[in-house]
Amino acid sequence: MTIGPKFTISILAVSLLVVMIGLVVLYQQEESKMGTMLTGRANVISTQIMITRAYITQNYVNKIKKSKAGGEIQVVKDHMGLPDAIPLPATAVREMGEEAFKTGSYNARLVSQNPLNPTNAPKDNFENEALRAIMSGADSYTRRDDVNGVETFRRAVADKATTVACLSCHTNNKVGDTLGMLTLSIPMGEAIALSNRSMWQTGGLMAGIVVIIMSVTYFLLRNIVLKPLARMS
């Protein structure tokens, strides 16, 4: 084999190696970027839910219990169909999360080891592991799961008794205690599609640049080195 074909094969091998390494690095970057984006989205949602829950507790449940109407209006977990009943804050969070899930946005619920409502006990492996981590002192727990065939970003954050109003229901706790956790489940289909599109676009551009550089290198080397060498021989 002459130097020309050898050099061509070498150029192709180096090009393929550079492109493959670039794609691996790009994939890792896209995974990291997607995780950061989903974590940020989960933090925004969880903050809004916690604010809403605290507002409901302080300005609805607590006021009703202390008012004259407190004897007529019940604060219960099974409030549906009862005209004189409102939901517990944790029940309200779960029901609003279920409504959000119907839109494909996310699902949210409060989970506890000793819930006032039994439906707020941990239901699967993720919630059991997350609750153990949270109750052991972790601020959050994150994992990607396959939920009913859907790739899902799942995150749990500590749920603490932030005001005295929380103690009107959680009578055995004090302000600052960890009551349980708030779990969020965000379908990843859209995020994965965006990440894949970005990766292939960037990867294609990178591969094109490598091919152009290698082609120019070969062209220059062929005309400056190989042809003069061939004439000399």
Side-chain angles (χ1 to χ4, degrees):
M1 187 180 290
T2 63
I3 190 171
K6 287 181 180 179
F7 186 73
T8 301
I9 292 173
S10 298
I11 287 287
L12 289 174
V14 171
S15 300
L16 287 174
L17 181 61
V18 170
V19 171
M20 288 176 64
I21 292 174
L23 289 175
V24 170
V25 172
L26 182 61
Y27 173 78
Q28 293 174 340
Q29 290 178 338
E30 286 296 328
E31 284 288 300
S32 176
K33 185 168 66 176
M34 182 167 58
T36 300
M37 178 189 71
L38 289 169
T39 298
R41 182 182 175 191
N43 287 340
V44 170
I45 295 172
S46 60
T47 298
Q48 183 59 57
I49 289 174
M50 290 300 194
I51 291 172
T52 302
R53 180 201 184 206
Y55 187 88
I56 291 173
T57 302
Q58 183 72 40
N59 295 290
Y60 288 83
V61 175
N62 202 39
K63 285 184 177 180
I64 286 174
K65 285 187 174 182
K66 292 181 178 180
S67 71
K68 294 180 181 179
E72 300 176 359
I73 300 178
Q74 305 174 67
V75 182
V76 295
K77 62 180 186 295
D78 299 318
H79 66 97
M80 293 294 188
L82 299 177
D84 297 322
I86 62 172
L88 291 165
T91 303
V93 168
R94 176 174 54 79
E95 291 176 350
M96 287 187 289
E98 290 169 353
E99 290 300 314
F101 183 69
K102 292 177 183 178
T103 69
S105 302
Y106 65 88
N107 194 6
R109 69 192 210 95
L110 288 162
V111 179
S112 174
Q113 287 179 326
N114 301 296
L116 299 175
N117 184 346
T119 59
N120 293 331
K123 288 185 175 180
D124 59 21
N125 178 263
F126 168 80
E127 291 186 347
N128 279 296
E129 288 188 5
L131 189 57
R132 280 195 295 269
I134 295 294
M135 298 310 293
S136 296
D139 291 324
S140 63
Y141 184 88
T142 304
R143 192 169 88 188
R144 287 170 62 165
D145 270 347
D146 183 295
V147 180
N148 297 323
V150 178
E151 188 76 10
T152 303
F153 179 84
R154 306 186 73 182
R155 183 171 173 83
V157 295
D159 174 34
K160 297 181 180 291
T162 54
T163 67
V164 175
C166 298
L167 308 183
S168 63
C169 292
H170 300 276
T171 55
N172 295 325
N173 297 95
K174 59 182 183 296
V175 174
D177 283 355
T178 299
L179 305 175
M181 64 183 185
L182 170 68
T183 68
L184 289 172
S185 297
I186 303 175
M188 295 177 61
E190 183 179 353
I192 291 174
L194 288 172
S195 178
N196 288 343
R197 185 157 58 246
S198 174
M199 186 177 72
W200 284 113
Q201 288 174 346
T202 306
L205 178 62
M206 179 182 65
I209 292 172
V210 169
V211 169
I212 290 172
I213 292 174
M214 293 301 179
S215 298
V216 170
T217 301
Y218 175 75
F219 176 80
L220 293 174
L221 194 60
R222 181 172 178 271
N223 287 277
I224 295 173
V225 178
L226 297 180
K227 282 186 176 181
L229 285 175
R231 283 195 295 268
M232 290 174 61
S233 62

